Structures are given as C-alpha cells and as structure tokens.
Amino acid sequence: MKIGIDKIGFYTPHLYVDMNELANARGVEPEKFTVGIGQSQMAVTPITQDAVSLAANAALHIIDEEDKEKIDLVIFGTESGIDHSKSAAVYVHHLLGINPQARCIEAKQACYGATAAIQLAKGHIALHPESKVLVLGADIARYGLNTPGESTQGAGAVALLISAEPRILALEEKSAYFTADIMDFWRPIYSDIAFVDGKFSNEQYIWFFNKVWEQYQEKTDLTLNDINAICYHLPYTKMGLKALRTIIEQASEEQKEQLLSNYQISTAYNRNVGNIYTGALYLSLLSLLEQNKDLKDGSRIGLYSYGSGAVGEFFTGILQPNFKEHLNKEQHTSLFASRKQISIEAYEEIFEEELPTDGSTTELDITQDPAPICLAGISDNMRQYVNKLTK
Ligand code: COA
C-alpha cells in the first residue's frame, strides 16, 4: 500500500517587506540579504494572525466534506505555539469542522515538528488504511529587530493531508534520521524571540545532512543519481545550497545540472516568504511541484528536514501519476499577488504589538486582514478566532 501526501495547502500573511528596503534601513548592502542570504521578501504577521489561524487558513482550501469525516488524527507541528498545555491542533480541528472522533496533538522539535508528524501519520495510516491524517506546520519566525537573524524571519503555514494511495507524493519506506543534543537555536518558554548561534547552526545543519545522507545510502543502496530533486529545510534559501554543494560531486554531470536547477526552483516561494520553520521544507516542496514545468510522474524527490537542537532526517517520495492536477497553483499565485508591501517603520510597529497578558479583553480589527480565519481578540486569557466564511 502506498502512503503519502494527498493534498498540500499553504498560507502566508498578507503583508511583507522588501529585503532591499530592510537592508537599507539596517545599513547593510542589499546583496547581503538578496544574494548572501537569498531572500527577496519577508512575510510580516499582523496581530490578527497566529500559528493557529495561519494553519487553519492553509488547511481551509484543501479539506472537503469527505476529508472532515475521514480525518481521525490531527498533528500540529509548531515552535510558535500559543499555549503550553492545550494543543494548537484542537483549535484547528474545531475551526475546520473535523468530525469529533479524532485525536489532536501538537508535535515539537523545532523545525522538524511537521516531519515527525508526517512519519507518525505514515505509521497510523499503515495500521488504519481507511483513515486520513491532517498534518500542519505553522510558525512565525522572530529573532528581533536589528539582530543578525532578522533577515531570516518570516511566517506561514503548510497543511498536508496524509492518506493511503496519495495523489501527489508516495513516501518510500526507508528513511534516515539522527539526533544529538546541541544548542544551536532554542527559545526558552519565557522568551518570544529565538536564541540562535547562527554560524554553529549552519555548520550543524550541514553536518546532520551529511550524516543522514550517508546513512540513507547505506540503508537503500541508492545514489545521488537516483534522485531527481532534493528539497531542503530552508531557514533562508542559501542554506540548502550550502548543504547540496557538499555532496554534488557524487552526481554525474547531467545529474548535477538537474539537481542545481531543481534546487533553484524549490526555493521560489521561500524566497518571498522567509523562514516558516516547521513548514519551510514543505513550502520548498510546493515551490518545486508548482513551479517546475518539466517534473515527471515517477520522479524521486529527496527531502531533508532539520530541527535545531537537533534532529535531522532524510527521506524520499515518488511523484504520483497526474500529481499536477491535485495542486492549487492558481490559488497560491493569487495569494502572492494579493499581498501588500509595507514600509520598514510599519513592520517595526507591527513587530512590537502585543496581546494583553493580564486577562483583560481586547477586540482586534479584523477588517484589515483578508484572511478567512483571523484572531479576533482575547478575553479571559482565551483567544477568540473567527471564520469569516461561516460567520
Ligand atoms: N553581497 C553578497 N553576499 C554577501 C554580501 C554582499 N554584499 N555581504 C555578505 N554576504 C554573504 C556572506 O558572504 C555570507 O555568505 P556565506 O554564508 O555563503 O559565506 C552571507 O552573505 C551572510 O553573511 P554573514 O556575515 O554570515 O551574515 P550574518 O553573520 O549577519 O548572519 C546568519 C547570517 C544566517 C548566521 C543569521 O542570519 C542567522 O543567525 N540566521 C538564523 C539561522 C537559522 O535560522 N538557524 C536555525 C535553523 S537552521
């Protein structure tokens, strides 16, 4: 039985800043951000969006009535959770109207959370082939104004429907994974911004990649020439390229060209969104699938997931017949086209906005936010969400 990705949804907030403008404001050469880091635009999250609403908006357009009946497990990978106790999955389960006979949990291991969710979903479907699992990866990357990490901020969510006989990507059986306790990036529960040892984090990302790539080859007897494209976890679009370059010489000349060209295509959406942590790898996959006109059914796609702290995993999937018919390219094109560029001053103001933490009631103005699902306020320490489509 094949198990894998049957549908993919994506959402990013409607606001962004241009990286040239951010560079000018920070007194650095624009090419550092656009070439050295490889980012063109950075999504900015209005106060009316959080990880829950972003994920619900990503899933809204892919889940139909049949899915709502068949989904019996919702796993929400995030490192921007809104509650230390209640899982973000329960909120999304409610907002989407999924049947109550379902399990809902949150998965945390930095940017690896959604991959953990997919692998757990795979095991669940193997035991219950008739069921479907909704995997969500949603995050708001915050390093702070004027910090080295600022140019790698971003926000967005990816929703993946995992099922038997998937129509987009069938996951292959073997996978290689590795864990080591390191402090390259972390966010203590008292902080709303991440702590990061950027250079160390870059090194570890590559070291973990080499480790799992080696292990994958031993487990499968496959080589780089058997893989048509590799999608990477992308904290910024230059990062995956640094990792790919460490193994590219293992490929034939023709294959090198294919892998490097597919790498560029796989960064298209991420370049204009920024880091979305748990969803970043799957946004890269979406870029590749929606933007590469020549990708053929049956192609093998490699996926490298890395979550600081750290866990790395390399796994592969096979593109299914007519997979292109099951993507939502037009919707994503119009999502990007409808975004609004804001000034650096406006971004800084939004960045500093905070919800009350004293139990007081705040109503937020959701009329300026075009998202169907918004955070409309907070009352008695409870977040109030609104789905404008069902209101
Ligand atoms: N033109 C072109 N490239 C330029 C440039 C210019 N004018 N100025 C600098 N660059 C390049 C640098 O050479 C470097 O490229 P390289 O890494 O290929 O050598 C790149 O731009 C970044 O410059 P650097 O000086 O290393 O930037 P920095 O010290 O300000 O920080 C990060 C970069 C990535 C370390 C920082 O943004 C960060 O910590 N980000 C978060 C990391 C992260 O997300 N990790 C967790 C998950 S993996």
Side-chain angles (χ1 to χ4, degrees), residues 29 31-32 36 143 148-149 152 198-199 201 235-236 238 242 308:
E29 284 180 26
E31 291 74 20
K32 174 172 175 183
Y143 292 92
T152 66
K199 303 277 187 247
S201 174
Y236 51 95
K238 186 82 170 288
K242 289 174 192 248
S308 291

Side-chain angles (χ1 to χ4, degrees), residues 6-71:
D6 189 54
K7 295 183 184 180
I8 310 180
F10 163 63
Y11 192 76
T12 187
H14 72 293
L15 304 174
Y16 71 91
V17 292
D18 182 276
M19 295 305 279
N20 293 294
E21 289 194 5
L22 184 65
N24 289 335
R26 299 296 177 249
V28 303
E29 284 180 26
E31 291 74 20
K32 174 172 175 183
F33 291 171
T34 56
V35 181
I37 299 283
Q39 293 300 129
S40 300
Q41 297 169 348
M42 179 174 95
V44 175
T45 317
I47 197 155
T48 46
Q49 293 293 316
D50 62 15
V52 166
S53 62
L54 290 172
N57 284 311
L60 196 60
H61 298 286
I62 62 161
I63 301 298
D64 61 24
E65 292 308 312
E66 191 200 329
D67 298 331
K68 287 179 197 173
E69 283 311 307
K70 292 209 164 159
I71 291 170

